[in-house]
Amino acid sequence: MAQLECRDLCLGYDGREIVHQLNFAVSAGDYLAVLGENGAGKSTLMRTILGLRAPMSGEVLFGDGVTRNEIGYLPQQTVVQKDFPASVREIVLSGFEGQSGLYPFRTKEQKKTADRIMEKVGLGQLKRRCYRELSGGQQQRVLLARALCATRKLLLLDEPVTGLDPRMTAELYDLIGELNAGGTTVIMISHDVEAAVRYADRILHIGPVCWFGTPAGYLASEVGRPFAERMLRSDASNGAEGRR
């Protein structure tokens, strides 16, 4: 049974349709990369899945025990978020808000779970540090830990490596891969086609023509072939540089 299915989904805003009759399904343990040009509707799709925006038509269905308030979400960071004056542990614990209703306090079990997740993502020694004092990569780990407190079933990640240096980017991709290998379903918006093809097992391309399938199928498709050719040119260029 699919954890998430979109049927004939049409998305847009201000009365203008930007995605037409999108159909795809995500099962438990999948790693889906969502690709497309700026303005194609990738973030709009995320907000629709989260229930923050209504579709123009079509439907989003959940199964396999997943509900909207159990989705972990790592949004793109804003300048204000990067300067947030709270401790790492406070931010991570805020991931339980969707499960606690109006109850403002965290249970002992939730605190233990948060501590365990912080250890898992490499934040055990930083939990009392102020969030604003951390590096960009550490801040992304904090937000990822917060999303994991909301759920370990389904994670939505919106450009999680934006602004990170190559080493931190590789570390975060590796961590997301480990979470996926442990059974967490991942849906990640990305502009990095090469990384998407390397890490994901499903590709969803949003644009004038939408495409859904395997990475190999994507690179061989009419939609994905220009990206494949660009990657080959880049590899050839890097190889030539290395021989100089």
Side-chain angles (χ1 to χ4, degrees), residues 22-44:
L22 182 62
N23 289 277
F24 71 94
V26 177
S27 299
D30 282 352
Y31 190 150
L32 173 68
V34 183
L35 305 175
E37 302 295 339
N38 287 334
K42 302 184 300 297
S43 293
T44 300

Side-chain angles (χ1 to χ4, degrees), residues 14-213:
D14 298 332
R16 182 172 68 90
E17 183 180 279
I18 56 175
V19 177
H20 180 67
Q21 290 192 326
L22 182 62
N23 289 277
F24 71 94
V26 177
S27 299
D30 282 352
Y31 190 150
L32 173 68
V34 183
L35 305 175
E37 302 295 339
N38 287 334
K42 302 184 300 297
S43 293
T44 300
L45 172 62
M46 283 280 194
R47 289 193 288 270
T48 302
I49 292 172
L50 291 166
L52 303 176
R53 178 183 289 276
M56 298 184 76
S57 62
E59 54 187 347
V60 178
L61 304 173
F62 296 96
D64 198 23
V66 174
T67 60
R68 274 201 172 100
N69 67 346
E70 294 176 322
I71 297 175
Y73 177 46
L74 194 163
Q76 292 188 47
Q77 277 207 84
T78 65
V79 174
V80 172
Q81 288 171 326
K82 290 181 180 181
D83 200 37
F84 197 67
S87 73
V88 167
R89 194 165 189 258
E90 288 171 332
I91 291 177
V92 173
L93 282 168
S94 70
F96 290 110
E97 287 179 0
Q99 303 171 26
S100 302
L102 298 176
Y103 189 65
F105 303 106
R106 305 292 167 242
T107 66
K108 289 183 179 180
E109 186 58 36
Q110 287 175 334
K111 292 176 181 178
K112 288 181 181 178
T113 298
D115 288 340
R116 185 167 63 250
I117 289 173
M118 283 187 284
E119 289 289 344
K120 185 177 182 66
V121 302
L123 296 170
Q125 303 300 315
L126 300 175
K127 61 185 179 182
R128 301 193 186 283
R129 289 275 301 277
C130 183
Y131 177 77
R132 63 167 54 157
E133 297 172 356
L134 303 182
S135 69
Q138 290 169 334
Q139 287 185 340
Q140 286 297 79
R141 286 174 181 263
V142 172
L143 297 180
L144 183 58
R146 181 185 185 277
L148 287 169
C149 283
T151 182
R152 269 148 288 168
K153 289 183 178 180
L154 176 59
L155 282 178
L156 303 187
L157 312 175
D158 193 349
E159 297 284 358
V161 301
T162 298
L164 302 186
D165 64 37
R167 180 181 64 83
M168 290 182 176
T169 293
E171 289 179 355
L172 194 60
Y173 274 137
D174 286 344
L175 178 56
I176 294 168
E178 290 172 10
L179 294 170
N180 177 247
T184 301
T185 305
V186 173
I187 300 177
M188 178 181 70
I189 290 177
S190 178
H191 281 101
D192 188 343
V193 176
E194 186 173 355
V197 169
R198 180 186 307 136
Y199 291 102
D201 53 33
R202 295 287 186 277
I203 300 290
L204 172 65
H205 182 100
I206 296 179
V209 176
C210 293
W211 191 95
F212 175 68

